Amino acid sequence: RSSWLLLAPLLTPPVPVITAPPCSLCPEGAHRFQWIRNLVPEFGISSSHVKVLSSPVEFYELLKVQIKAAKQRVVMASLYLGTGLLEQELVDCLEETLEKSLQAKDSPDLRVSILLDYTRGSRGRKNSRTMLIPLLQRFPEQVRVSLFHTPNLRGLLRLLIPERFNETIGLQHIKVYLFDDNVILSGANLSDLYFTNRQDRYVLLRDSPEIADFFTELVEAIGDVSLQLQQDDTVQVMEGMVHPYQGDKVAYCEIANRRVMEVINSARTRQELLHAKTFHSSQPGSSLLSQQGSQASGGLKPEPDTWIYPLIQMKPFGIQIDEMVTETLLTEAERDARIYLTTGYFNLTQAYMDLILGTRAKYRILLASPEVNGFFGAKGVAGAIPAAYVYIEHQFYSEVCYLQQQERVLLQEYSRAGWTFHAKGLWLYLAGSDLPCLTLIGSPNFGYRSVHRDLEAQVAIVTENKALQQQLHQEQEQLYLCSGVVSMSTFEQPNRYVKLWVKLVTPLIKNFF
């Protein structure tokens, strides 16, 4: 049936806004990226506080350990929470930790804040909401569940588009998992696939209170402009807040922009003051950073050799920081620099494609083969989505060949029996270096949805430390080892056949997936 026709009002994409790079890169090593702090807060930490995880099982076990150890706060932002046994075990861990907090002699300090997407989290009779309602009922003073509803899904469009298809209009796509002062950045959702055999990326930032504060405030800001889940499975708007799809759209987006930018700008101001006090202290040995004790070790903090920059993209609210930084990194990458870029869904924006094809750096782009695409084997129209990605990939590869860039721009497909692929991010190797000094990790897929429709967040991790650079290099190598190089013969294989109707529809709907 003609489900795609329901999207007709949105088939004409808005004209992308391309913002000029804010600054050219400086010539000095990792510090060349300090221009990013003109846009967002810069958090200087020790590389010893950064751990790169490699497997879904490691990610899942870490989530459980961190939940059980939390004393002050648990903050989790995800697209959705699944409904299986593994997800239930996570909820049980939360309940157990909240119960311990409740039984503490003093008043319970633990606060749990969960941010999910409204449409994805409400799908089906048993869903994210029904999984979390028992926590709300038992711990009403300690638990908050916010469901973000895009302001672009409203009116007749909201009434006509059926479940699942309504998710194409816009989502809460940020993935941040935060426990006291420990932060996990990832592209993984809270679902059993992401805990078992769906390959993603995961970085733990330990004992990083300023970063944890920032992401707590960011999730709270989005939560404030979201719908609040109630104990009876209804939702309510916070008092004094504009309704996301019933209220005035412009007013809602202005409020949301103001709330999120307040978080970014206040954190940036705090970090600039901290930076000024640290580096202009009259006594070098008594800098503010050195005086702040590490909660984990009880000792002094080492001098930072690694910098974390949170990059936020919320085009519905007019926030395009991640897009600006990514475009600048692609633009300014020098000749013989190497960029490894990976995405679970290869559907780059025109601006990103133009920069990759028109700049000087060498690119190795890792994407999912059809068999490891998350939509492979899906029922109905969704089952044709892997073929649509094959078509987009073929078109891009043909452009690479037409421009005779095959030596500089290499495509590789991830393939692993019994697994699906969801890893996204970027590693930057400066010219002449065997190790990366910068990586991007988080929720964006570098596609149209990530730039224009969804709420996204990732971090740029810049490091001078060789051991951490080696960790990042090994992470990249581990992913790329499970891949094969794409050539023109790749698209002649029987499993790459794309039906005519998919070729005709893909240009119309590629901005929705």
Side-chain angles (χ1 to χ4, degrees):
R1 294 183 294 183
S2 56
S3 301
W4 294 117
L5 295 179
L6 296 175
L7 301 180
L10 292 171
L11 289 180
T12 304
V15 177
V17 177
I18 305 301
T19 310
C23 175
S24 292
L25 304 186
C26 307
E28 299 297 327
H31 282 285
R32 68 176 58 200
F33 304 105
Q34 285 192 331
W35 57 267
I36 303 176
R37 73 179 182 204
N38 295 332
L39 299 169
V40 296
E42 175 188 72
F43 300 99
I45 64 172
S46 166
S47 55
S48 63
H49 292 191
V50 184
K51 183 181 180 184
V52 180
L53 312 181
S54 61
S55 74
V57 172
E58 193 179 3
F59 170 59
Y60 180 62
E61 292 302 322
L62 181 62
L63 286 176
K64 290 192 294 182
V65 167
Q66 290 291 322
I67 289 172
K68 290 176 181 178
K71 295 291 189 290
Q72 278 83 40
R73 58 185 170 189
V74 172
V75 178
M76 299 198 290
S78 184
L79 175 61
Y80 68 106
L81 171 70
T83 57
L85 294 176
L86 295 179
E87 297 93 320
Q88 186 60 56
E89 194 174 340
L90 276 186
V91 175
D92 292 344
C93 286
L94 284 169
E95 183 177 13
E96 179 185 325
T97 305
L98 283 161
E99 183 63 42
K100 282 182 186 174
S101 172
L102 208 57
Q103 291 174 354
K105 291 182 181 179
D106 302 323
S107 59
D109 291 327
L110 182 67
R111 295 290 181 268
V112 174
S113 178
I114 299 174
L115 171 67
L116 305 173
D117 182 73
Y118 177 91
T119 52
R120 184 65 181 85
S122 304
R123 185 200 289 182
R125 190 170 280 183
K126 186 179 182 183
N127 53 40
S128 305
R129 294 162 64 161
T130 59
M131 291 287 287
L132 292 169
I133 282 172
L135 291 182
L136 278 173
Q137 292 173 337
R138 189 165 178 196
F139 307 98
E141 300 302 315
Q142 292 173 268
V143 177
R144 179 193 195 192
V145 179
S146 305
L147 301 168
F148 174 79
H149 190 296
T150 177
N152 293 327
L153 182 64
R154 56 175 50 230
L156 192 60
L157 192 67
R158 189 174 188 275
L159 295 173
L160 289 177
I161 299 186
E163 194 174 80
R164 297 176 75 97
F165 288 98
N166 58 9
E167 297 167 27
T168 63
I169 307 306
L171 295 167
Q172 192 307 107
H173 200 245
I174 295 168
K175 290 85 186 274
V176 175
Y177 309 109
L178 190 157
F179 315 91
D180 292 342
D181 292 338
N182 301 327
V183 183
I184 303 173
L185 277 303
S186 181
N189 293 303
L190 295 174
S191 172
D192 54 3
L193 289 174
Y194 296 89
F195 305 149
T196 52
N197 63 346
R198 190 153 169 76
Q199 183 64 58
D200 215 298
R201 298 180 65 208
Y202 335 84
V203 169
L204 169 65
L205 307 176
R206 291 186 299 102
D207 188 27
S208 302
E210 294 92 355
I211 300 173
D213 288 347
F214 172 83
F215 279 107
T216 297
E217 292 171 16
L218 179 68
V219 171
E220 289 300 303
I222 303 167
D224 287 349
V225 299
S226 299
L227 300 169
Q228 309 302 308
L229 183 63
Q230 306 298 305
Q231 296 178 29
D232 60 357
D233 199 20
T234 60
V235 292
Q236 291 182 6
V237 180
M238 278 185 59
E239 189 175 348
M241 187 57 62
V242 177
H243 197 285
Y245 63 85
Q246 293 177 352
D248 180 81
K249 181 179 175 182
V250 172
Y252 171 81
C253 291
E254 285 177 352
I255 291 171
N257 173 284
R258 190 160 59 246
R259 285 287 289 112
V260 173
M261 290 309 298
E262 280 172 1
V263 172
I264 294 170
N265 291 330
S266 63
R268 186 164 161 254
T269 301
R270 287 197 304 269
Q271 291 308 115
E272 284 175 349
L273 287 171
L274 182 64
H275 180 85
K277 289 178 181 178
T278 300
F279 290 100
H280 297 98
S281 171
S282 57
Q283 298 179 9
S286 63
S287 71
L288 187 59
L289 273 178
S290 298
Q291 290 172 1
Q292 290 182 332
S294 167
Q295 290 183 6
S297 63
L300 296 178
K301 277 192 176 183
E303 287 299 309
D305 58 7
T306 299
W307 295 269
I308 310 295
Y309 302 95
L311 309 178
I312 311 303
Q313 184 74 13
M314 300 179 182
K315 185 68 177 292
F317 304 154
I319 299 170
Q320 298 169 252
I321 296 169
D322 181 61
E323 179 186 6
M324 291 170 65
V325 172
T326 303
E327 286 186 6
T328 304
L329 290 173
L330 299 182
T331 301
E332 298 286 342
E334 60 202 331
R335 187 179 302 278
D336 294 328
R338 290 177 293 141
I339 292 179
Y340 289 74
L341 187 149
T342 178
T343 173
Y345 303 109
F346 182 73
N347 186 17
L348 300 177
T349 65
Q350 191 62 50
Y352 290 162
M353 283 194 289
D354 289 345
L355 287 170
I356 290 169
L357 293 173
T359 49
R360 301 157 292 181
K362 296 178 180 177
Y363 286 86
R364 289 177 66 178
I365 301 173
L366 182 63
L367 48 111
S369 66
E371 295 77 16
V372 300
N373 186 293
F375 290 96
F376 186 74
K379 295 179 181 179
V381 176
I385 289 179
Y389 282 116
V390 168
Y391 182 59
I392 293 167
E393 177 190 351
H394 192 181
Q395 286 186 310
F396 180 77
Y397 183 74
S398 297
E399 185 72 9
V400 170
C401 293
Y402 175 75
L403 296 171
Q404 298 183 328
Q405 298 289 311
Q406 300 97 308
E407 296 296 316
R408 191 179 64 81
V409 181
L410 204 64
L411 267 61
Q412 295 177 234
E413 287 186 351
Y414 186 94
S415 183
R416 189 176 179 185
W419 284 65
T420 54
F421 183 69
H422 196 250
K424 65 279 301 264
L426 178 152
W427 299 258
L428 174 59
Y429 295 67
L430 297 178
S433 176
D434 294 328
L435 298 173
C437 65
L438 176 146
T439 191
L440 301 182
I441 179 169
S443 62
N445 276 297
F446 304 103
Y448 189 93
R449 284 196 63 114
S450 293
V451 171
H452 293 278
R453 296 194 179 280
D454 298 341
L455 306 191
E456 305 278 11
Q458 63 180 339
V459 293
I461 302 176
V462 177
T463 185
E464 296 179 332
N465 180 269
K466 295 298 180 186
L468 178 53
Q469 289 179 354
Q470 189 66 46
Q471 274 196 74
L472 296 171
H473 177 67
Q474 288 172 350
E475 178 199 30
Q476 176 271 115
E477 279 196 322
Q478 184 178 340
L479 290 172
Y480 278 71
L481 276 174
C482 297
S483 70
V485 176
V486 172
S487 66
M488 202 52 86
S489 63
T490 303
F491 303 101
E492 296 169 2
Q493 298 171 16
N495 65 339
R496 304 309 167 97
Y497 174 73
V498 181
K499 295 177 181 178
L500 178 61
W501 75 267
V502 175
K503 293 180 179 179
L504 294 174
V505 169
T506 297
L508 298 176
I509 54 102
K510 66 183 290 187
N511 295 338
F512 293 89
F513 62 85

